[in-house]
Amino acid sequence: MGVGYYDALLPVQESDAGLQEVLAGIRLPYRVLASVCVPGGRIVLAFVSVSRMFATNWALAGASQEPDATLYALARPARGYGLDRRWDGARWWSRDQKMMVVFGFGSYRLAKVCVRGICSAVSGDDILFMHGCALSIGAGAERRGVVITGNSGAGKTTLVAGLLRNRECPVAVLNDDWGAISLSRRDLVSTGERMLHMKQSSVLALCPGFFTSAPAGSYSIDLSERDRSARMLVSPESVYGTAWSSSATAVEHVAVVVRESADWVPPGREGEAIFNGSLILTTEHDKLREERRYRQLFDRIAVSWINNCDTPEALVSKFMSAITRCGDGRSPPSRGRVPRPPPMGRAVTGR
């Protein structure tokens, strides 16, 4: 079981007290309802925050709608609201009330991590939220959906950039970082984010001339980061151009990118699940539920391990070879199992 960056820095804990009672008497800030798209519907999330930035990146839901969950992203430390400072040490989750409370909140990256976890926790058993870039490769009858996942730094962006430059194979990008897959139908849709939260280095890898060609208003620096040159909010069309798509696709393949030595051998058929580090896994039941979801998905699709141990061109070639081999009806590189994390990383985590 893996632990992501924010799980270690600010872990999710179940509250032993009713969070509604904890919040009683606090003058709460701005509230807005946001809508996150999933196959066959959407998840409505209520944001209670001092900043509209966190909520308005998704489509706004109607004010009269009943939210599926609530995220209290409170700017001041807990003592600023008259509470004990122990409340500053975690992201507090109430399963019964379907609400998360975070004090001292100011990071867009943390907001997105919270949204991922909450959406997964309140979704039905047919929905799996998965970290990775979701693509459709090819056209017509040859078109197939693929999710590229892997640890940070493994080479996911390098691979996607290479695919976009490969004019012989049409590519449509549906999600850049995360998205929901229907386990029964295997279809995947865009989450509906208006702006992508990306590393500046990733933007330049995907679109080398970005800062000279991007239209005015298509991006902004993420001022919630200490390093102002690290990350940005950017419109997907300005990065991916016509390759960005809001259409759905059926997922047929998952490519796990790793960066290992040339003699590295992919894991065997049995292994532990690759969990996204931003999921809410506070109980053994949570872990088993996620594992069942992953096993159900991987029982029905092909899974390839792509070792990024050579040139970017070789990485693209390995990927296309794996996709083509499965598309031709030959045995996929691995199937019917939950992949194990590579030896150098315990889990696939978000940006």
Side-chain angles (χ1 to χ4, degrees), residues 221-244:
I221 303 303
D222 180 5
L223 300 181
S224 69
E225 292 282 331
R226 291 183 180 178
D227 181 357
R228 298 294 173 82
S229 64
R231 295 173 185 271
M232 57 197 295
L233 287 163
V234 56
S235 70
E237 294 83 1
S238 65
V239 177
Y240 292 104
T242 58
W244 183 258

Side-chain angles (χ1 to χ4, degrees), residues 5 109 131 149-157 177 199 201-202 231 257-259 342 344-351:
Y5 171 74
R109 201 168 8 157
H131 164 63
T149 188
N151 285 328
S152 178
K156 300 185 297 296
T157 301
D177 188 30
K199 298 176 185 176
S201 58
S202 296
R231 295 173 185 271
V257 181
V258 300
R259 189 185 293 272
M344 296 304 291
R346 290 287 299 165
V348 173
T349 59
R351 281 196 175 89

Side-chain angles (χ1 to χ4, degrees), residues 49-110:
S49 171
V50 294
S51 174
R52 300 188 181 197
M53 174 184 70
F54 300 136
T56 55
N57 195 30
W58 286 278
L60 298 183
S64 62
Q65 285 194 270
E66 185 69 25
D68 296 294
T70 303
L71 170 60
Y72 290 86
L74 303 178
R76 288 181 288 169
R79 60 182 178 276
Y81 299 97
L83 299 173
D84 190 281
R85 66 177 58 191
R86 76 180 180 88
W87 291 96
D88 293 329
R91 290 177 280 151
W92 297 96
W93 169 247
S94 170
R95 188 182 312 275
D96 294 337
Q97 297 170 320
K98 292 184 171 51
M99 59 187 294
M100 177 176 282
V101 178
V102 190
F103 295 97
F105 197 106
S107 164
Y108 187 91
R109 201 168 8 157
L110 180 56

Side-chain angles (χ1 to χ4, degrees), residues 266-278:
R269 292 184 61 84
E270 297 301 325
E272 55 187 272
I274 293 182
F275 287 137
N276 185 326
S278 63

Side-chain angles (χ1 to χ4, degrees), residues 17-304:
L19 290 182
Q20 292 283 14
E21 289 73 18
V22 172
L23 296 172
I26 296 178
R27 184 179 178 182
L28 296 173
Y30 182 79
R31 181 180 186 271
V32 67
L33 295 178
S35 180
V36 180
C37 297
V38 299
R42 59 183 177 170
I43 293 174
V44 176
L45 186 64
F47 282 80
V48 181
S49 171
V50 294
S51 174
R52 300 188 181 197
M53 174 184 70
F54 300 136
T56 55
N57 195 30
W58 286 278
L60 298 183
S64 62
Q65 285 194 270
E66 185 69 25
D68 296 294
T70 303
L71 170 60
Y72 290 86
L74 303 178
R76 288 181 288 169
R79 60 182 178 276
Y81 299 97
L83 299 173
D84 190 281
R85 66 177 58 191
R86 76 180 180 88
W87 291 96
D88 293 329
R91 290 177 280 151
W92 297 96
W93 169 247
S94 170
R95 188 182 312 275
D96 294 337
Q97 297 170 320
K98 292 184 171 51
M99 59 187 294
M100 177 176 282
V101 178
V102 190
F103 295 97
F105 197 106
S107 164
Y108 187 91
R109 201 168 8 157
L110 180 56
K112 193 164 182 180
V113 166
C114 291
V115 170
R116 290 177 186 166
I118 293 171
C119 285
S120 182
V122 302
S123 64
D125 288 337
D126 184 56
I127 297 295
L128 168 68
F129 280 90
M130 192 169 186
H131 164 63
C133 183
L135 315 167
S136 64
I137 308 288
E142 299 299 319
R143 181 173 178 261
R144 57 178 59 90
V146 183
V147 175
I148 298 174
T149 188
N151 285 328
S152 178
K156 300 185 297 296
T157 301
T158 300
L159 173 55
V160 174
L163 292 172
L164 292 174
R165 289 192 290 268
N166 183 359
R167 301 299 180 185
E168 298 179 0
C169 185
V171 174
V173 181
L174 281 75
N175 281 319
D176 168 75
D177 188 30
W178 70 300
I181 303 171
S182 166
L183 297 176
S184 60
R185 302 185 305 275
R186 293 183 292 110
D187 55 326
L188 178 147
V189 298
S190 173
T191 61
E193 289 172 90
R194 298 176 178 180
M195 303 286 273
L196 303 176
H197 189 238
M198 301 181 71
K199 298 176 185 176
Q200 289 195 25
S201 58
S202 296
V203 171
L204 291 173
L206 294 163
C207 183
F210 178 83
F211 288 107
T212 58
S213 62
S218 63
Y219 71 93
S220 62
I221 303 303
D222 180 5
L223 300 181
S224 69
E225 292 282 331
R226 291 183 180 178
D227 181 357
R228 298 294 173 82
S229 64
R231 295 173 185 271
M232 57 197 295
L233 287 163
V234 56
S235 70
E237 294 83 1
S238 65
V239 177
Y240 292 104
T242 58
W244 183 258
S245 173
S246 59
S247 63
T249 189
V251 177
E252 299 180 27
H253 204 122
V254 170
V256 185
V257 181
V258 300
R259 189 185 293 272
E260 302 292 344
S261 61
D263 59 353
W264 177 79
V265 178
R269 292 184 61 84
E270 297 301 325
E272 55 187 272
I274 293 182
F275 287 137
N276 185 326
S278 63
L279 299 179
I280 296 176
L281 304 174
T282 57
T283 68
E284 190 63 28
H285 177 270
D286 296 334
K287 298 172 186 177
L288 292 173
R289 180 177 184 243
E290 261 340 284
E291 184 172 351
R292 283 195 299 270
R293 286 172 164 175
Y294 273 84
R295 289 193 183 280
Q296 187 175 341
L297 177 67
F298 290 124
D299 276 343
R300 301 181 178 186
I301 65 171
V303 181
S304 298

